[in-house]
Amino acid sequence: MTTTDPFPGFHVRAGKAADGPYVVDITPERAGWGYSSLRVLELPPGGSHSLATGDSEWIVLPLSGGCTVIAEGETFELHGRESVFSGVSDFVYLPRDSHAQIASGAGGRFALTGARCERRLPARYGPASAVPVELRGSGNCSRQVNNFGAAAPAGGGKSGGGFECDKLIAVEVLTPGGNWSSYPPHKHDQCRPGEESELEEIYYFEVAEAHGNEGIGYQRVSPSGHGRGTDVLAEVRSGDTVLIPDGWHGPSIAAPGHDLYYLNVMAGPEEERAWLICDHPDHAWIRSTWPDQPVDPRLPLYQAPDSAPAGDPR
């Protein structure tokens, strides 16, 4: 059933955000906020789709399979990947006020991460080899972050120089089975220059099967005293999303034996595009234990072609 009504809650189960050609279609109107969007497009072999970018910038990111993107008079060939658990993908940036054609000879699934914006930047290709693969945390808080659409870190840093967008910030996180990520719980729901950014966030989940069984994970969001008082404790499965307009978010928990993937899409009203977070004061102490523990030896699950993972304890 196609609908454009707002979602009744912050945990949106697989299939409940479908609209037209998209198996997931989260717009600012449906989320009840101002900037962040996520669409997931499934194309059959030989399928194609026309996209009007409107007032938003977009990144086309293959989740499985490859595709051709035609935009701004250029043709971009995306090699993609077998799945989100098999490798880093290349991607394409699309500017606002444009049109694009996405086609796939073999078919596949493609995430469109979007943000309302003002500046019109050029369409361009992002190679998989240029995606910084970062390891965060240690012990059972170890996780891998593919920073394909990250903002440049303040003062530089090991997570790479970022990818230029006007408002959009997007990354992938992979958490080995049994580990916690998005931990310690953190928030970014206030504008505090130099300390915290105001960003809306979407989590899109996929969970690896094991022994022929579907996997599950868990996501927690607790009220911070700002905004809507977002409060979520969700059992998540492949295709689910969690909307985070505000609040402390984390942990994201991978069930033992089932690696957890989530795609984070963030954007907000601030002039500076930055990911500045504030840790929950009751749990921030966990960071002090990380230097004394090794990173989970299962990580990285994979590396970008011709690149090595960077270590960053954030």
Side-chain angles (χ1 to χ4, degrees):
M1 177 179 178
T2 298
T3 178
T4 57
D5 292 336
F7 301 115
F10 300 107
H11 176 206
V12 185
R13 298 187 183 278
K16 298 297 184 181
D19 189 22
Y22 304 114
V23 295
V24 174
D25 186 14
I26 296 171
T27 63
E29 291 80 9
R30 298 185 77 187
W33 57 34
Y35 295 90
S36 298
S37 296
L38 173 67
R39 292 169 169 169
V40 177
L41 174 68
E42 288 189 353
L43 290 178
S48 65
H49 175 67
S50 295
L51 171 69
T53 62
D55 63 0
S56 297
E57 58 187 348
W58 299 86
I59 287 179
V60 180
L61 176 76
L63 300 174
S64 63
C67 65
T68 300
V69 181
I70 301 174
E72 301 286 286
E74 297 188 65
T75 299
F76 304 96
E77 297 289 347
L78 294 184
H79 301 289
R81 53 190 165 182
E82 182 179 348
S83 80
V84 297
F85 298 104
S86 66
V88 176
S89 182
D90 49 0
F91 59 93
V92 166
Y93 173 90
L94 301 175
R96 60 166 292 162
D97 302 317
S98 184
H99 289 81
Q101 186 80 9
I102 304 170
S104 179
R109 299 173 62 254
F110 309 96
L112 310 178
T113 64
R116 281 182 174 153
C117 66
E118 298 298 328
R119 288 193 300 152
R120 192 175 191 274
L121 301 174
R124 59 201 187 278
Y125 173 76
S129 60
V131 173
V133 175
E134 175 189 1
L135 303 185
R136 292 184 188 168
S138 65
N140 61 1
C141 292
S142 302
R143 59 272 201 181
Q144 172 180 335
V145 185
N146 300 336
N147 287 300
F148 72 95
K158 295 181 180 179
S159 58
F163 183 84
E164 186 183 12
C165 299
D166 186 29
K167 294 290 187 182
L168 177 64
I169 299 173
V171 302
E172 302 178 298
V173 181
L174 295 120
T175 307
N179 285 8
W180 285 27
S181 62
S182 281
Y183 199 77
H186 59 279
K187 75 180 185 76
H188 39 70
D189 57 15
Q190 290 179 281
C191 177
R192 296 188 297 139
E195 296 184 37
E196 183 179 350
S197 307
E198 183 180 349
L199 297 166
E200 310 154 351
E201 186 162 15
I202 303 167
Y203 275 55
Y204 165 79
F205 295 91
E206 294 197 10
V207 189
E209 295 184 354
H211 303 285
N213 297 312
E214 179 186 36
I216 59 172
Y218 293 89
Q219 178 68 43
R220 179 70 172 123
V221 186
S222 56
S224 65
H226 302 280
R228 305 188 200 179
T230 307
D231 195 345
V232 179
L233 177 57
E235 180 178 285
V236 295
R237 300 173 184 269
S238 288
D240 286 11
T241 56
V242 171
L243 310 182
I244 305 175
D246 49 68
W248 304 104
H249 40 290
S252 304
I253 303 172
H258 295 276
D259 294 341
L260 178 69
Y261 165 94
Y262 51 89
L263 172 62
N264 290 146
V265 183
M266 292 169 275
E270 297 185 34
E271 183 175 347
E272 180 186 8
R273 174 177 172 254
W275 184 69
L276 298 175
I277 65 171
C278 174
D279 286 339
H280 195 297
D282 292 346
H283 305 285
W285 63 267
I286 193 70
R287 292 189 188 275
S288 67
T289 71
W290 290 349
D292 299 325
Q293 302 179 66
V295 172
D296 191 314
R298 293 174 291 178
L299 292 174
L301 295 184
Y302 49 75
Q303 298 182 20
D306 300 320
S307 69
D312 188 324
R314 289 181 300 162

